[in-house]
Amino acid sequence: MKKKIALVTGGFTGESVVSLKSAAVVEKTIDKNRYDIYKILVYPGDWYHETTEGEKIPVDLNDFSIQLNGQKVTFDGVFNILHGSPGEDGKLAGYFDMLRIPYTTCDALTSAITMNKGYTKAIVQDIPELYVARSIQLFEKKAENAEMIQKELRFPLFIKPNNGGSSIGMSKVKVPGELQEALDKAFAEDSQVLVEEFVLGREFSIGVYRAKGKTTVLPATEIISSKEFFDFEAKYSPGVTEEITPGRMTEEEVNRVNRIIERVYQKLNCRGAVRIDYFLEYETDKFYFIEINTVPGQTETSLISQQVRAIGMDVKDFYTELIEEMFT
């Protein structure tokens, strides 16, 4: 008997566009000989499955089921590819936990914590060999924020929504005169804002996942952007960014990064595949943690897909491992 897998996509934020692209690739790639896939679209007040004829079948939220051809369809598990809320911030995870339906991503607590960049940094900062940039977490929009930032931190700065993804609402601020506009932009996306000192270094992004009883750290991707930083345009527009997989690191750097990444995955109690962004500082070569993404993109050009192929693994087999892991 093939397992019935709900492929959950959509979402409540601007990242839903990316989520739909990821879901299209997963749906096309996943092993249809092993799994029956049902794409479930999740929008505020509108959860549904769309048939091949274009009919919208509503989801019964009492047990996360649908009615197809007069038959009730329930799911053995969920492949979660919903970026942002509610798929990445723990809300969906909590719902599936209550229904006892397994899913491919982190549990509710880890998802909620890692969505908050400031809280995540506080948890990982004592991991050996890992550094975090000096930062201030702002909990409300106040006139005195700009003055406090100038007193406590050195320019240039990164200003970003504390709970956002895809670099939406993020700015690099070089001088005090640019500060207020950047704060307004970030607060437009979130009620909490993180202000960090800029780390000058090479930027990398690395995938890690657990399956078959072991944690696998994938080869890191080095990100060389023609933009000031890896923003939304750099992430999703062709030609703006050069991505080198595996990234250019020495053997010592690779070994050190892999040690740190495995500890981060373990300390945050991650499940499934996550992607961690970091800098290697130019002058010191220190590893600076940027952030973690617990529902990384799965489009054709996504970093995780590049990294899986770099170890000689078929992306289809990678998805099979993620699905089978949720049943262990």
Side-chain angles (χ1 to χ4, degrees):
M1 283 286 290
K2 291 200 281 187
K3 292 189 175 87
K4 293 183 175 69
I5 303 296
L7 177 62
V8 175
T9 183
F12 297 178
T13 71
E15 291 186 83
S16 62
V17 180
V18 185
S19 182
L20 292 172
K21 288 181 179 178
S22 290
V25 171
V26 173
E27 185 178 32
K28 182 178 72 177
T29 310
I30 222 158
D31 191 344
K32 307 294 194 310
N33 294 321
R34 299 179 70 127
Y35 311 110
D36 287 326
I37 303 300
Y38 299 80
K39 190 189 287 183
I40 303 292
L41 294 105
V42 173
Y43 296 109
D46 191 19
W47 296 32
Y48 63 92
H49 167 69
E50 194 170 343
T51 65
T52 49
E53 295 78 35
E55 184 187 358
K56 282 172 66 172
I57 309 292
V59 174
D60 183 343
L61 296 181
N62 291 298
D63 59 0
F64 193 64
S65 65
I66 55 174
Q67 290 281 341
L68 270 183
N69 306 317
Q71 299 284 318
K72 179 175 179 171
V73 178
T74 57
F75 303 106
D76 297 299
V78 172
F79 194 113
N80 177 18
I81 196 62
L82 197 157
H83 310 310
S85 188
E88 199 166 359
D89 58 2
K91 294 184 177 75
L92 268 188
Y95 167 67
F96 292 134
D97 283 343
M98 287 191 292
L99 294 175
R100 298 187 177 180
I101 300 172
Y103 46 91
T104 53
T105 44
C106 297
D107 67 18
L109 181 61
T110 295
S111 299
I113 288 171
T114 53
M115 198 69 179
N116 187 304
K117 296 178 177 71
Y119 294 167
T120 305
K121 285 175 64 174
I123 292 170
V124 302
Q125 66 184 1
D126 64 348
I127 289 175
E129 304 177 290
L130 179 149
Y131 295 82
V132 295
R134 291 182 64 227
S135 62
I136 294 174
Q137 195 168 341
L138 303 175
F139 293 92
E140 55 184 319
K141 191 176 179 179
K142 295 192 295 191
E144 57 266 33
N145 281 343
E147 186 183 345
M148 177 183 67
I149 290 165
Q150 290 176 65
K151 279 182 181 172
E152 296 194 22
L153 299 178
R154 287 178 316 184
F155 288 82
L157 302 167
F158 269 134
I159 316 278
K160 46 192 167 184
N162 202 30
N163 294 289
S166 291
S167 301
I168 297 169
M170 187 170 163
S171 305
K172 183 180 177 183
V173 174
K174 296 177 181 176
V175 293
E178 300 170 347
L179 197 50
Q180 194 55 56
E181 184 184 347
L183 289 170
D184 291 343
K185 183 179 173 183
F187 271 115
E189 298 293 331
D190 191 11
S191 59
Q192 290 182 33
V193 167
L194 189 66
V195 184
E196 291 180 312
E197 288 185 351
F198 177 63
V199 176
L200 192 60
R202 294 176 289 146
E203 186 171 354
F204 296 85
S205 191
I206 190 166
V208 52
Y209 73 103
R210 185 162 181 81
K212 296 182 175 177
K214 64 171 185 164
T215 303
T216 300
V217 181
L218 296 166
T221 299
E222 186 174 356
I223 295 156
I224 303 164
S225 178
S226 59
K227 302 272 289 179
E228 278 277 351
F229 60 92
F230 198 39
D231 63 4
F232 187 88
E233 184 190 351
K235 283 181 178 175
Y236 302 114
S237 302
V240 177
T241 302
E242 184 184 358
E243 295 164 356
I244 302 170
T245 309
R248 296 167 299 185
M249 292 191 292
T250 65
E251 188 179 346
E252 185 280 326
E253 287 168 344
V254 170
N255 292 335
R256 175 159 47 96
V257 165
N258 287 7
R259 275 198 305 274
I260 295 168
I261 294 302
E262 193 163 348
R263 286 176 184 140
V264 171
Y265 189 92
Q266 186 177 30
K267 182 143 195 182
L268 291 170
N269 192 34
C270 294
R271 276 176 31 202
V274 307
R275 204 190 71 234
I276 295 164
D277 301 336
Y278 65 93
F279 287 118
L280 290 180
E281 192 175 35
Y282 280 130
E283 289 190 6
T284 65
D285 200 37
K286 288 177 178 174
F287 176 108
Y288 274 86
F289 177 88
I290 303 174
E291 63 183 43
I292 183 169
N293 185 323
T294 57
V295 185
Q298 297 289 347
T299 64
E300 299 279 13
T301 56
S302 287
L303 302 181
I304 287 266
S305 304
Q306 293 179 37
Q307 293 166 14
V308 167
R309 288 192 288 266
I311 61 169
M313 188 179 192
D314 196 300
V315 176
K316 180 193 284 186
D317 296 332
F318 172 63
Y319 292 159
T320 297
E321 288 198 4
L322 295 183
I323 291 168
E324 291 307 312
E325 180 67 14
M326 71 174 160
F327 296 118
T328 58

